[in-house]
Amino acid sequence: MSTGRPLPPTGHADDGPDRLWQRKLREQFPIVTAHPESAYLDSAATSQKPQAVLDAVHAYLTTTNANAGRGTYPWANRTTRLVEETRERVKEFLGDPEPGRSTVHFTSGTSEGLRTVARDWLVPYLRDGDEILVPFADHRANLDPWLEARRLLAERGVGIQVRALPHQAVSGDYDHRALGGLVGPRTRFVAATHVHHVYGGDMNVHRIREAVGPDVPICLDAAQSVGHLPVDLADPALDVDFVVFSGHKAMALPGTGAVWARNARGPGFRPAGWRGTPNTVGIVSLGAALDWLDEAGADRIARWTDGLTTRLTDRLRHLDPYEILGCPTSLAVDSALPAAQRRHGIVTFRHRDIPSDDLGFILYSHGFMVRADSLCQAGADDEKGSVRVSLHVYNTVEEIDRLLAVLTSLA
């Protein structure tokens, strides 16, 4: 598995064996099969849940439900064991090369996880005059915590410099050449995004490591990669120190997420404060979701969704009223250049004449559930929204073709 670099170009999503495989997986999502007239195209916000996850939740709540780390009776002991087993399961799923050194902290999702890293690890780590590099054009959850850290440090009389990760205006990718010029002897930390939540592009994290050198900790927002494509921390191209992700975007229940910490650069990651009652049922659902994803095959899921993405972008780019946001070289089926920024399951666009919120309502009237607003992008104009189609393994070629037919009728 490899995720530091883009996955290789994929074929069309309508290949026979893949369609049979996908149909079997789709049938495992009760909410999807119960509404065949609707197409859920908002998996970047949260994923739907397979029956195996629902069964695991039901079994836990009806046979074992108790608090973790408290009590010595069998239900409590088993709950504690399930929580600890899921910590190890997260490490295994991420391909952790040193599970004995790393730690996993459960959160409500990526936003809380990034804020925990900022408040409980970064603030104690930084000193007066230090510099950090963070994204100013990605999800607000990967900007606000670092600005909050600067404020908290300033209240203590510690001044730090927060520098913007340079990015390319058209593609949304980081400008890795310009990044090298921003790295200095006081650079102590970098926050980055794995897959962009608006453009869907692989953000080429391996180039960030090359630019900042071997000693600077990197925190990775993996909300749009974990559960959507392979993530292998044993791959040198993914040499990061924190991976923060949302379990609810990876087939688990809402309010579920995790922070994985390598604990190799800087101090060990130890969240501050008293550890209260964990979201035990959410953690159980995460373990079941990771099992389901492993059985389905992350590589194969990525190939399927990438194929649907290519099908949509390649045809939509020929419809004049539409502007597709993101890397132009990733739009065509034959875009196989090594430098191309591959798209992973997300296509975001605007109509020249129809406001994005209106277009979202129109699409819903035809059975398509999409995101239509500013997409929580830092620095974005709230008045200039866009429509985001985000895909997962339960989506079909037929749904994409139906969507294209409606979009064509509005051209």
Side-chain angles (χ1 to χ4, degrees):
M1 295 187 295
S2 173
T3 55
R5 301 181 182 89
L7 291 174
T10 59
H12 289 289
D14 53 359
D15 296 336
D18 280 345
R19 294 193 73 166
L20 293 174
W21 163 84
Q22 187 271 343
R23 188 176 300 123
K24 291 180 180 179
L25 294 186
R26 177 181 167 89
E27 291 171 354
Q28 297 178 39
F29 291 84
I31 195 172
V32 173
T33 58
H35 301 279
E37 74 287 352
S38 300
Y40 181 76
L41 305 175
D42 196 22
S43 292
T46 197
S47 66
Q48 298 303 332
K49 322 305 175 190
Q51 188 65 52
V53 171
L54 302 178
D55 289 344
V57 168
H58 183 268
Y60 170 74
L61 289 176
T62 56
T63 64
T64 307
N65 182 42
N67 211 330
R70 299 157 177 83
T72 57
Y73 52 91
W75 293 1
N77 290 338
R78 184 163 187 268
T79 295
T80 300
R81 186 169 64 252
L82 286 171
V83 170
E84 295 309 313
E85 287 174 353
T86 305
R87 290 189 205 280
E88 298 306 310
R89 187 69 184 90
V90 169
K91 297 180 184 182
E92 180 185 21
F93 185 79
L94 297 177
D96 187 343
E98 295 184 273
R101 165 186 272 182
S102 65
T103 53
V104 171
H105 172 66
F106 293 115
T107 70
S108 65
T110 304
S111 296
E112 184 195 345
L114 292 169
R115 192 164 184 255
T116 301
V117 174
R119 293 174 64 95
D120 296 346
W121 184 87
L122 186 63
V123 168
Y125 174 56
L126 295 179
R127 298 294 179 265
D128 195 61
D130 284 346
E131 301 175 355
I132 65 175
L133 291 162
V134 304
F136 275 67
D138 298 354
H139 198 286
R140 292 197 63 89
N142 204 12
L143 172 61
D144 289 355
W146 320 120
L147 299 180
E148 182 183 14
R150 180 178 62 182
R151 178 182 60 78
L152 293 173
L153 285 164
E155 291 174 355
R156 303 177 187 183
V158 177
I160 67 166
Q161 292 291 324
V162 178
R163 301 190 183 280
L165 270 176
H167 71 280
Q168 300 172 23
V170 175
S171 69
D173 193 11
Y174 301 131
D175 187 337
H176 301 93
R177 293 182 180 178
L179 173 60
L182 295 178
V183 177
R186 298 302 299 271
T187 301
R188 295 287 184 262
F189 175 81
V190 177
T193 299
H194 198 182
V195 172
H196 201 282
H197 76 292
V198 175
Y199 308 112
D202 185 303
M203 302 298 280
N204 296 305
V205 179
H206 63 289
R207 295 181 185 168
I208 294 178
R209 173 57 70 197
E210 292 169 359
V212 303
D215 301 323
V216 177
I218 297 175
C219 179
L220 192 64
D221 174 350
Q224 302 301 339
S225 56
V226 172
H228 298 259
L229 63 153
V231 175
D232 186 1
L233 293 168
D235 186 344
L238 207 55
D239 181 11
V240 298
D241 300 270
F242 297 93
V243 171
V244 187
F245 68 94
S246 298
H248 69 90
K249 299 179 192 289
M251 309 297 185
L253 291 186
T256 308
V259 176
W260 171 89
R262 191 184 294 273
N263 298 324
R265 301 177 181 93
F269 175 61
R270 295 177 183 85
W274 176 259
R275 292 192 180 186
T277 299
N279 178 8
T280 53
V281 68
I283 293 168
V284 167
S285 77
L286 178 58
L290 299 183
D291 289 343
W292 189 91
L293 289 164
D294 263 346
E295 186 173 350
D299 280 306
R300 204 166 186 182
I301 290 173
R303 284 196 299 271
W304 179 262
T305 56
D306 285 1
L308 296 180
T309 303
T310 299
R311 190 181 192 95
L312 178 57
T313 53
D314 192 62
R315 299 186 186 183
L316 189 59
R317 71 189 181 114
H318 296 296
L319 293 178
D320 179 58
Y322 296 97
E323 173 198 5
I324 303 179
L325 308 185
C327 180
T329 59
S330 69
L331 300 183
V333 171
D334 59 356
S335 175
L337 296 175
Q341 187 188 32
R342 305 303 304 175
R343 290 174 184 264
H344 295 299
I346 294 175
V347 183
T348 304
F349 55 91
R350 296 189 181 105
H351 192 288
R352 184 179 58 229
D353 303 314
I354 303 176
S356 295
D357 53 352
D358 290 345
L359 183 55
F361 281 118
I362 293 171
L363 292 176
Y364 177 70
S365 72
H366 289 274
F368 300 102
M369 290 173 273
V370 299
R371 178 78 176 267
D373 53 37
S374 62
L375 308 180
C376 300
Q377 185 177 12
D381 183 354
D382 290 340
E383 299 299 321
K384 192 177 182 182
S386 54
V387 172
R388 182 181 68 186
V389 171
S390 52
L391 307 162
H392 219 306
V393 70
Y394 35 73
N395 293 120
T396 66
V397 173
E398 290 76 13
E399 288 175 339
I400 296 303
D401 289 347
R402 282 169 42 213
L403 175 64
L404 284 164
V406 173
L407 293 173
T408 300
S409 71
L410 300 172

